[in-house]
Amino acid sequence: MSDTAPRATPPPATPPAPPGHPGPPEHPATTTPQRTAASHRTATPAPPATTARGRRVPLGTDPRAVRHSPAPGRPDLGHLADTPRVAVIGGGIAGLAAAAALADRGARVEVWEREAGLGGRLAGWETRLRDGSRVTMTRGFHAFFRQYYNLRRLLRRADPALEALTPLPDYPLLHGTGARDSFAGLPRTPPWSALAFVARSPTFGWRDLAAMAPGPALELFDVSVPRVYQRLDALDAPALLDAVRFPPAARHLAFEVFSRSFFAHPRRLSAAELATMFHIYFLGSAEGLLFDVPRDPFPQALWEPLATHLTARGVTFRTGAAVDRIDPARTPGRHSVVPAGGGARDYDAVVLAADAPGLRRLVAASPRLGDDAWRRRIAALPSAPPFQVTRLWLDRPVAADRPAFLGTGGFGPLDNITVLERYERQARRWARRTGGSVVELHGYALPEDTEAGEAARRLRAELHRVYPETADARVLDERHELRADCPLFPPGGWPHRPTVRTPDPTVVLAGDLVRVDLPVALMERAATSGTLAANALLERWGAAGHPVWTVPTAGRSPLLRALARVARRAGPHRASALSAGKG
């Protein structure tokens, strides 16, 4: 990956250390996540990006962010007799990250995307409203947390200063009982962030903290991937919270809201995934829990500039081109990508970066891809329950004090509300012209038989409870997206998740469905896996891969980590004891 402005030549395999780099790590450690090229980790400040005007922009603020170095190799693929041709199946975050990393080293990359535009679950498309306005519809709000180092490095290829993103001042949470919480103004660094939250939270006070079960609670301060999965993956998320003795109000306001952001009911989410999420967003990182959002719809803000940048580096995009199957090519060791309309093309390697349903279909239609055990693993990949995004164009504004984003709990199917004109320029222009408001509602983990119209009715009814002024508003237009294509991370599922590498060394996987034994989640897991998939191919061809960055790979406090290990040795705090709620 590159943090600098676009260059015409591939970057060096080992760039010089940035100013202020502390040099070799004080306590070097080695890890090999999924046998990818990330083989050495160093806690060091992340290097800044450089804008076209020469301004230095830091990647993050946490001095304990960890750099995972790739396997060494040549600076590019120029030593090979023939430049490898790579097909990337899927033009979402994972596929774009893989394409960028491969193109940097000189591979000839073609990205196949079945939809008309790039971005995957962050794609967008034009739609005409009843008033004649042309606007961009998407699959809904996404938060770009400051811990998303690898995603932000990808976006910085086309936007070095990340000027397309703007910060939101708060992450407010509201429960149906009236309880409220906020993450604005908290210190960024744990444990001070957690203590400050307790000090001012109406739902999680000092008495609640004192009542927590010490043994299970300490598990949250000793999160290290993959060990946390080995300890906790057999549990569901509520079992862990029961064992920790989280107060009910805080659980509903903060942690259930977060777990449902994985598009699953908490009972269907692994406790290890929840513990890892605590580590990434709150207890393990000093980046804080606030986030940025795009100033414009996803295509204009992110994917069109990135596609322009990658095209200049030789990447070819084939949008609106669904792939039917992948066959062995006539040349041994190569692959033939067969699109729906015919006209197969041969490649030296393939990056499978489709979503879970797409990957299942593609592998099922490609009988020569992988071995039987791997194919069974792909066929068994679970998908999360349906979710719905309902966007409403109202004839009047919501109250002026409504935040841009509000997480909700205890309001039926409603999980969050976004007021788009608070940050998105396209929505702001429409709102100013009409005097109205653009409001987006999300409902996650819906029943399998959900119907979009009925879900929209229920979401609107809850909106009226939360923002009563909308009850009298007239809906000038509306759009609904009901989907069920996100991965599910159920209890006990971690050992069965597919990894970046497959039985065929020239076929690799990428996406948020992939097991990556690093502390990453959601969009950041997609971006990280895309880079690691590219690194696996580059390593095979003798070229250097790209570093990836993560939050600290262990709990921040050596004392709390030691106490957690003492507690585990002193009493049975593994899955059976935790599920019984023992401390």
Side-chain angles (χ1 to χ4, degrees):
M1 288 187 180
S2 171
D3 279 338
T4 61
R7 292 181 287 187
T9 57
T14 307
H21 191 285
E26 185 176 358
H27 301 292
T30 301
T31 182
T32 312
Q34 308 311 318
R35 292 176 54 245
T36 62
S39 61
H40 185 78
R41 64 189 185 196
T42 306
T44 175
T50 304
T51 69
R53 297 189 179 111
R55 184 162 63 93
R56 305 280 275 181
V57 181
L59 179 65
T61 61
D62 190 349
R64 297 193 191 179
V66 178
R67 182 185 194 270
H68 303 263
S69 300
R74 295 174 181 262
D76 55 43
L77 298 169
H79 63 285
L80 300 177
D82 296 305
T83 301
R85 296 186 69 228
V86 184
V88 177
I89 313 301
I93 290 172
L96 293 172
L102 289 164
D104 268 357
R105 298 296 185 255
R108 290 186 292 168
V109 181
E110 292 188 349
V111 177
W112 294 76
E113 170 53 51
R114 70 183 177 214
E115 303 294 342
L118 301 173
R121 292 199 290 274
L122 276 77
W125 54 95
E126 186 179 271
T127 185
R128 183 189 287 271
L129 302 181
R130 293 184 192 128
D131 67 359
S133 302
R134 291 186 178 275
V135 299
T136 302
M137 181 60 187
T138 71
R139 293 176 48 166
F141 177 93
H142 281 71
F144 290 70
F145 288 91
R146 283 79 186 262
Q147 296 90 324
Y148 289 178
Y149 302 125
N150 301 307
L151 174 59
R152 295 166 85 93
R153 283 164 67 92
L154 173 66
L155 299 177
R156 276 182 161 145
R157 291 171 173 272
D159 180 12
L162 292 181
E163 293 171 340
L165 300 181
T166 186
L168 293 191
D170 194 6
Y171 187 166
L173 304 171
L174 174 67
H175 192 261
T177 61
R180 296 175 180 269
D181 265 307
S182 165
F183 294 96
L186 295 179
R188 289 186 173 189
T189 304
W192 312 116
S193 53
L195 293 174
F197 178 79
V198 170
R200 77 178 196 190
S201 171
T203 62
F204 196 141
W206 296 111
R207 289 184 180 179
D208 298 311
L209 184 64
M212 292 172 66
L218 285 168
E219 292 281 355
L220 301 178
F221 292 91
D222 188 29
V223 171
S224 178
V225 179
R227 288 197 299 269
V228 67
Y229 288 90
Q230 295 162 355
R231 294 200 307 268
L232 300 179
D233 188 60
L235 294 173
D236 62 37
L240 176 61
L241 298 184
D242 288 343
V244 172
R245 300 177 194 155
F246 265 107
R251 180 185 310 195
H252 287 295
L253 260 176
F255 308 113
E256 185 171 325
V257 169
F258 295 164
S259 69
R260 287 170 66 88
S261 296
F262 282 86
F263 304 95
H265 187 278
R267 292 284 177 198
R268 299 186 66 189
L269 179 69
S270 161
E273 202 73 32
L274 184 65
T276 301
M277 184 172 60
F278 287 157
H279 177 78
I280 293 170
Y281 298 105
F282 199 49
L283 299 178
S285 170
E287 301 295 351
L289 199 59
L290 301 184
F291 49 79
D292 303 317
V293 291
R295 300 175 188 271
D296 296 295
F298 298 135
Q300 298 92 313
L302 309 177
W303 313 130
E304 291 169 7
L306 184 59
T308 299
H309 167 80
L310 293 178
T311 298
R313 298 185 73 83
V315 177
T316 300
F317 292 97
R318 300 181 178 278
T319 55
V323 173
D324 267 358
R325 67 184 189 276
I326 299 172
D327 293 334
R330 292 182 178 180
T331 304
R334 304 190 81 211
H335 306 276
S336 184
V337 172
V338 183
R345 299 174 69 87
D346 292 353
Y347 299 90
D348 298 290
V350 176
V351 179
L352 299 174
D355 58 27
L359 182 62
R360 290 194 300 261
R361 286 193 297 267
L362 182 58
V363 171
S366 308
R368 303 285 296 277
L369 202 60
D371 59 22
D372 289 345
W374 180 81
R375 294 173 60 81
R376 286 194 298 269
R377 179 175 292 189
I378 298 301
L381 275 174
S383 291
F387 69 94
Q388 176 146 324
V389 175
T390 287
R391 187 176 294 183
L392 307 173
W393 285 264
L394 304 179
D395 70 342
R396 64 197 67 184
V398 299
D401 61 347
R402 303 305 188 192
F405 177 84
L406 176 70
T408 60
F411 290 95
L414 182 65
D415 284 291
N416 57 64
I417 303 172
T418 305
V419 182
L420 270 76
E421 68 265 20
R422 297 285 192 263
Y423 65 88
E424 189 189 273
R425 289 184 286 204
Q426 184 185 89
R428 186 179 302 135
R429 290 192 294 269
W430 184 91
R432 286 175 175 171
R433 180 169 56 81
T434 64
S437 189
V438 186
V439 177
E440 185 175 277
L441 314 175
H442 286 208
Y444 304 141
L446 300 175
E448 296 293 341
D449 60 353
T450 293
E451 188 273 325
E454 176 60 19
R457 186 193 67 77
R458 294 182 63 202
L459 290 171
R460 284 180 58 185
E462 298 301 331
L463 168 67
H464 299 161
R465 287 181 60 199
V466 182
Y467 292 169
E469 70 273 17
T470 63
D472 295 328
R474 185 162 58 94
V475 177
L476 301 178
D477 214 333
E478 57 191 303
R479 296 291 185 274
H480 313 289
E481 289 295 318
L482 178 64
R483 304 290 183 110
D485 53 5
C486 296
L488 181 67
F489 305 111
W494 175 76
H496 309 292
R497 294 187 203 173
T499 61
V500 166
R501 295 181 188 260
T502 78
D504 185 334
T506 61
V507 177
V508 291
L509 288 184
D512 57 353
L513 59 85
V514 175
R515 173 178 155 182
V516 176
D517 286 350
L518 293 171
V520 290
L522 302 173
M523 293 192 291
E524 180 68 352
R525 183 178 285 154
T528 303
S529 69
T531 303
L532 295 178
N535 285 355
L537 296 177
L538 293 171
E539 183 180 6
R540 174 177 172 79
W541 295 324
H546 300 259
V548 296
W549 290 82
T550 70
V551 302
T553 52
R556 295 183 79 90
S557 168
L559 174 61
L560 292 177
R561 293 200 307 268
L563 289 174
R565 290 160 192 170
V566 168
R568 282 196 292 272
R569 289 194 297 269
H573 298 303
R574 297 190 181 275
S576 60
L578 282 168
S579 60
K582 296 178 181 178

